[in-house]
Amino acid sequence: MRTVNEEERRAKKTEIMEKSYECYADHGFQGTGMKALTEYCGCNIAIFYRYFKNLDDLIIQSTAHCMGKVEEEFMAKAPTDVEDLWRFIDEIPYWTAEKHGKKYRLMYQIYTHPKYREYGQEFFDGVTERYTEYAKSLEGKLGIPYQKLTPLISILIRACVHYALFENEFYLKSQIKSLKETLKLYIEKYSRGEAAEQKEE
């Protein structure tokens, strides 16, 4: 019998997490048991228990993994400069809803469930750290200090997620309008400061 190496184990576990999360997203969190998951993933129960202690462990790990991937895709679409910023803000909510709406709806079902709430708190603590680092990567491109960008990213994310959950245009447009107005003020403020520094030199 062929021995499975660590890389293959990781790949198989990742495949199971991603397919299981898709299964829950497609068929609903409540009432989707191990039988439905094994059929969806095309493997038997023994394979599941090789990688996960139980169904709760699968749910916890697959949610964190899949939503982490969503974050990575979001960050990969980052604006390249100030001019590209407006395109990014206008497009990202609709991209999020179309591509990841089901995943966000499932995530909130899981992380608001009493059994998994502590894992949701842990995940969102990590989100704060990750988006702070993301803001730092945008600081040089946009000319705005990351301390100012970090809360604005949170506002954008919440607007995107709310739209993905409910497709409420009024809420989305009001949030995006406020966000753009704030960014324009920051851009003007910090570009003036940079111009003043160059003049002094």
Side-chain angles (χ1 to χ4, degrees):
M1 187 170 130
R2 190 175 74 85
T3 304
V4 178
N5 63 37
E6 190 57 35
E7 187 176 335
E8 289 174 319
R9 278 183 58 81
R10 281 198 302 270
K12 186 61 179 178
K13 182 177 180 179
T14 297
E15 179 188 347
I16 292 172
M17 287 192 292
E18 292 177 1
K19 285 188 174 180
S20 295
Y21 201 77
E22 284 176 18
C23 182
Y24 280 124
D26 286 342
H27 300 292
F29 173 50
Q30 301 295 336
T32 300
M34 190 61 82
K35 185 175 184 297
L37 291 170
T38 55
E39 288 176 359
Y40 197 95
C41 295
C43 60
N44 59 45
I45 291 177
I47 297 291
F48 272 82
Y49 287 112
R50 189 177 299 168
Y51 297 99
F52 307 97
K53 292 181 288 186
N54 50 43
L55 199 56
D56 289 334
D57 187 36
L58 168 66
I59 290 167
I60 292 161
Q61 291 199 50
S62 63
T63 302
H65 168 77
C66 291
M67 296 315 298
K69 280 192 68 178
V70 170
E71 279 185 7
E72 289 171 9
E73 287 187 37
F74 171 85
M75 289 189 275
K77 295 178 77 68
T80 54
D81 53 32
V82 170
E83 293 305 315
D84 191 41
L85 177 61
W86 314 117
R87 184 272 317 162
F88 172 74
I89 291 173
D90 285 334
E91 290 179 2
I92 200 70
Y94 298 101
W95 172 84
T96 300
E98 181 180 351
K99 188 162 185 189
H100 299 301
K102 285 194 297 186
K103 293 175 185 173
Y104 274 113
R105 288 191 288 274
L106 174 58
M107 179 191 74
Y108 275 89
Q109 286 180 63
I110 292 170
Y111 282 157
T112 55
H113 192 288
K115 189 188 287 188
Y116 307 117
R117 189 168 178 270
E118 66 178 293
Y119 299 100
Q121 290 173 318
E122 184 180 322
F123 178 81
F124 284 107
D125 285 344
V127 166
T128 302
E129 294 175 14
R130 289 188 291 277
Y131 283 125
T132 298
E133 292 305 310
Y134 181 53
K136 289 178 180 178
S137 74
L138 293 175
E139 186 176 56
K141 296 176 184 177
L142 305 180
I144 300 171
Y146 80 88
Q147 296 93 333
K148 304 295 184 184
L149 288 172
T150 301
L152 297 183
I153 291 169
S154 294
I155 291 170
L156 176 60
I157 295 298
R158 280 166 175 73
C160 288
V161 171
H162 189 278
Y163 185 75
L165 293 173
F166 305 111
E167 296 187 1
N168 185 314
E169 288 280 347
F170 174 79
Y171 179 86
L172 175 64
K173 288 179 178 178
S174 62
Q175 293 292 298
I176 294 300
K177 182 181 178 184
S178 298
L179 183 63
K180 284 183 174 180
E181 288 173 353
T182 304
L183 280 165
K184 284 174 183 175
L185 290 172
Y186 278 144
I187 289 165
E188 184 181 343
K189 174 183 177 179
Y190 291 106
S191 62
R192 273 205 317 265
E194 189 176 301
E197 286 178 10
Q198 290 175 348
K199 190 174 180 181
E200 287 176 7
E201 291 174 359

